[in-house]
Amino acid sequence: MASGAAKVPANRAAITACIILAVIMQALDTTIANVALPYIQGSVSASADQINWVLTSYIVAAAIMTPPSGFLANRFGRQRVLMTAIAGFVIASILCGMAQSLFEIVAFRLMQGFFGAALVPIAQSILLDIYTPEERGSAMALFGVSVMVGPVLGPVIGGWLTDNFSWRWVFYINVPIGALAFIGISLFLRETKSSAEAKLDWLGFGSLSIAIAATQVFLDRGAQLDWFSSLEIIIEAVIAASAFYVFLVHTFTAERSFVNPRLFLDRNFTVGMLFIFIIGITYLASMALMTPYLQTLMGYPVVTAGIVMGPRGVGTMVSMLIVGRMMGRIDTRLLLMIGLLLTAWAMYAMTGWTPDISEWTVATVGFVQGAGLGFLFVPLTTVTFATLPSQYRADATGLYNLSRNVGSSVGISVVSYLLTRNGQINHETIGGYVTATNRAFNDPAILHALNPWNASGRAALDQIIQFQAAIISYIDDFKLMMVLSIAAVPLVLLLRKGCSQPSGAHAVSLE
């Protein structure tokens, strides 16, 4: 069991800056391509269904390659793996910008996800090691800003680049950021010891990868193919379930499995995994809803929508920096409770939204939601690893970030499906009240604009019904995320109070 103070390198500030740059670069790419999708779709002549693979291919690749990041760091050394990941990510970004077909851009996005996956967990484990236990709260605040604010800035930067230059610059922007991070890490970060004896459990890694990939495809394609009425969806569900079963059996029976099951004997780590999964759902899923809500229902231009969403990122940054200073003085469980309540309140406020709300309302509620996320991310990251021995942090951070990635992808898929499904149900329900005998049509002004006896009037009626159905569908999704935030409150009670080092009864022996 590892204990003792962290070794503080002389150039710690430079290492931190370079690591944060690399993480921001990776985090930006989770959302920066969203606003450019219509332009990419036209450029590569893809259908609406096909262009979604530009997003899902990146998520799937990142999710698959996140868990083995610990093995790669142990086998080849942190500095070498980090530099390879940055270089590969930048090269893949250039290739994405140069892509001329759908196949090319999807393939290069897969490559981007594979290389970028290791950046976040390895960066997190490095920060945990180079900062003392008393300073880890502030370190995780800086790390959290880069991870959580990146997806918020993505639409703003992506929209501006697409409007002023080309969608290809959404990917080219990674070149200068990656170059600075690569040079800095090569100069300032010392290489860790590598172990030639480190081996990868290929059966465990392979089965988990297949389970994640099949589940993601199942979720993305399910709504389009009417779920289990499609043979493709049934096959994907069977593959996902079978692969996950093989993974579980192998994990608990193999002598040295890909995932150390004894990690989950640490209560804080197990609860933290579930907690970050829920945060992943509510965070990126709410962002996936806000962009079309502002652009489609409220008629905001792409850049304006991104600017209005900006205060959410400001709230996250401010609260993370404040929480970083409060760590160690206030019980982390209290901070987590505040974060959940702020998030739940923001979601509750959004359930009362209509397209008539002001920009100030969107910005204010977004700021509160961002502040809530700041109160959640920093203390949760700290308390999750508080009782784990340091030699297991690389594996643990990989699983932790995998849980966040899977939660994000599941959340986006589920809320998108519910938005479409509830929109159809609401349209049918509202339409049932719009009949030719409705007394509202006795008003000549209404009858002139919305005459149900001619084609133009019926089209106008259908457009109004569709608009109202969409508003209700968004409200239903906001309610779901509010309920999830409240449902996570009992998890706070299961966490032990964060401690500086694993010791005594709170420590878990993984030998």
Side-chain angles (χ1 to χ4, degrees):
M1 186 183 306
S3 59
K7 294 182 179 179
V8 180
N11 49 10
R12 187 174 66 176
I15 295 173
T16 302
C18 295
I19 287 175
I20 294 301
L21 266 180
V23 172
I24 288 176
M25 178 182 68
Q26 193 272 351
L28 275 174
D29 270 65
T30 59
T31 58
I32 196 171
N34 290 32
V35 294
L37 278 185
Y39 301 89
I40 300 175
Q41 180 180 347
S43 181
V44 300
S45 302
S47 66
D49 292 344
Q50 291 172 331
I51 201 63
N52 285 331
W53 283 97
V54 174
L55 301 179
T56 56
S57 58
Y58 180 84
I59 296 174
V60 169
I64 289 173
M65 288 304 295
T66 296
S69 58
F71 157 77
L72 294 172
N74 293 331
R75 176 65 180 84
F76 301 104
R78 282 179 180 170
Q79 186 200 44
R80 190 174 292 111
V81 172
L82 203 56
M83 291 174 64
T84 302
I86 293 172
F89 191 89
V90 170
I91 293 171
S93 298
I94 295 172
L95 293 173
C96 284
M98 297 171 60
Q100 299 297 321
S101 68
L102 178 66
F103 175 80
E104 288 181 1
I105 194 168
V106 170
F108 297 143
R109 282 285 280 177
L110 278 169
M111 179 180 171
Q112 207 180 24
F114 273 117
F115 280 103
L119 292 176
V120 172
I122 292 180
Q124 187 174 14
S125 62
I126 290 174
L127 289 178
L128 286 170
D129 281 351
I130 66 175
Y131 281 86
T132 63
E134 295 76 17
E135 297 171 320
R136 282 176 189 154
S138 298
M140 287 302 98
L142 289 173
F143 175 78
V145 167
S146 60
V147 171
M148 306 297 275
V149 176
V152 175
L153 296 179
V156 182
I157 298 174
W160 184 81
L161 289 172
T162 303
D163 278 353
N164 291 276
F165 298 97
S166 163
W167 65 264
R168 300 181 186 278
W169 281 94
V170 166
F171 300 106
Y172 291 151
I173 192 176
N174 291 328
V175 177
I177 301 175
L180 285 174
F182 183 89
I183 294 171
I185 289 172
S186 65
L187 292 176
F188 301 117
L189 183 64
R190 290 185 179 180
E191 184 60 281
T192 56
K193 292 182 180 179
S194 58
S195 173
E197 297 178 357
K199 295 180 179 180
L200 181 65
D201 174 18
W202 288 102
L203 179 58
F205 171 62
S207 57
L208 180 60
S209 300
I210 293 172
I212 292 172
T215 300
Q216 185 62 48
V217 176
F218 166 81
L219 291 172
D220 286 340
R221 299 275 292 166
Q224 301 170 21
L225 302 178
D226 197 20
W227 297 103
F228 291 102
S229 62
S230 166
L231 178 61
E232 177 189 329
I233 296 300
I234 294 174
I235 293 173
E236 289 160 359
V238 170
I239 291 174
S242 301
F244 190 63
Y245 173 77
V246 170
F247 169 73
L248 285 179
V249 171
H250 178 72
T251 297
F252 288 100
T253 57
E255 184 178 348
R256 287 194 175 184
S257 58
F258 176 61
V259 173
N260 187 346
R262 296 183 68 84
L263 283 171
F264 296 96
L265 293 177
D266 186 296
R267 191 166 78 188
N268 276 18
F269 178 72
T270 303
V271 175
M273 287 276 290
L274 181 57
F275 220 127
I276 197 64
F277 179 83
I278 296 174
I279 292 175
I281 292 176
T282 57
Y283 180 66
L284 280 184
S286 63
M287 285 195 57
L289 289 175
M290 282 305 301
T291 302
Y293 187 94
L294 295 175
Q295 294 182 31
T296 305
L297 295 187
M298 300 187 69
Y300 285 7
V302 173
V303 177
T304 304
I307 293 173
V308 172
M309 291 173 64
R312 179 186 307 208
V314 175
T316 303
M317 287 189 290
V318 171
S319 62
M320 281 182 173
L321 295 175
I322 293 174
V323 171
R325 294 183 177 275
M326 296 171 66
M327 292 292 294
R329 303 176 184 177
I330 299 178
D331 192 336
T332 53
R333 293 170 295 185
L334 177 59
L335 297 175
L336 287 171
M337 191 73 74
I338 294 172
L340 284 173
L341 293 178
L342 286 174
T343 304
W345 180 88
M347 294 298 178
Y348 171 75
M350 292 163 73
T351 61
W353 280 8
T354 69
D356 297 326
I357 58 173
S358 65
E359 295 179 6
W360 174 253
T361 300
V362 177
T364 303
V365 174
F367 181 88
V368 173
Q369 186 185 13
L373 290 165
F375 271 92
L376 288 172
F377 190 83
V378 178
L380 179 60
T381 303
T382 304
V383 79
T384 298
F385 301 103
T387 54
L388 275 177
S390 60
Q391 63 265 35
Y392 297 103
R393 286 193 191 124
D395 292 334
T397 52
L399 289 174
Y400 183 76
N401 286 284
L402 170 67
S403 184
R404 178 175 58 84
N405 286 337
V406 173
S408 299
S409 60
V410 168
I412 292 172
S413 299
V414 170
V415 298
S416 299
Y417 163 68
L418 290 177
L419 190 66
T420 302
R421 178 177 175 273
N422 290 339
Q424 295 169 348
I425 294 174
N426 294 331
H427 187 283
E428 182 179 357
T429 302
I430 297 172
Y433 293 96
V434 183
T435 64
T437 57
N438 193 303
R439 292 184 179 180
F441 294 117
N442 294 335
D443 187 327
I446 295 177
L447 185 63
H448 176 73
L450 304 172
N451 192 334
W453 288 283
N454 61 49
S456 61
R458 288 192 296 270
L461 279 169
D462 183 72
Q463 186 176 6
I464 292 175
I465 294 170
Q466 184 65 40
F467 187 75
Q468 296 298 324
I471 295 173
I472 299 172
S473 298
Y474 277 103
I475 289 174
D476 291 338
D477 274 356
F478 294 146
K479 283 181 180 178
L480 173 62
M481 288 184 286
M482 178 190 70
V483 171
L484 281 175
S485 299
I486 296 173
V489 170
L491 292 176
V492 177
L493 304 178
L494 297 177
L495 289 167
R496 292 191 178 100
K497 185 175 181 179
C499 55
S500 302
Q501 289 289 329
S503 61
H506 286 181
V508 176
S509 176
L510 304 179
E511 299 298 336

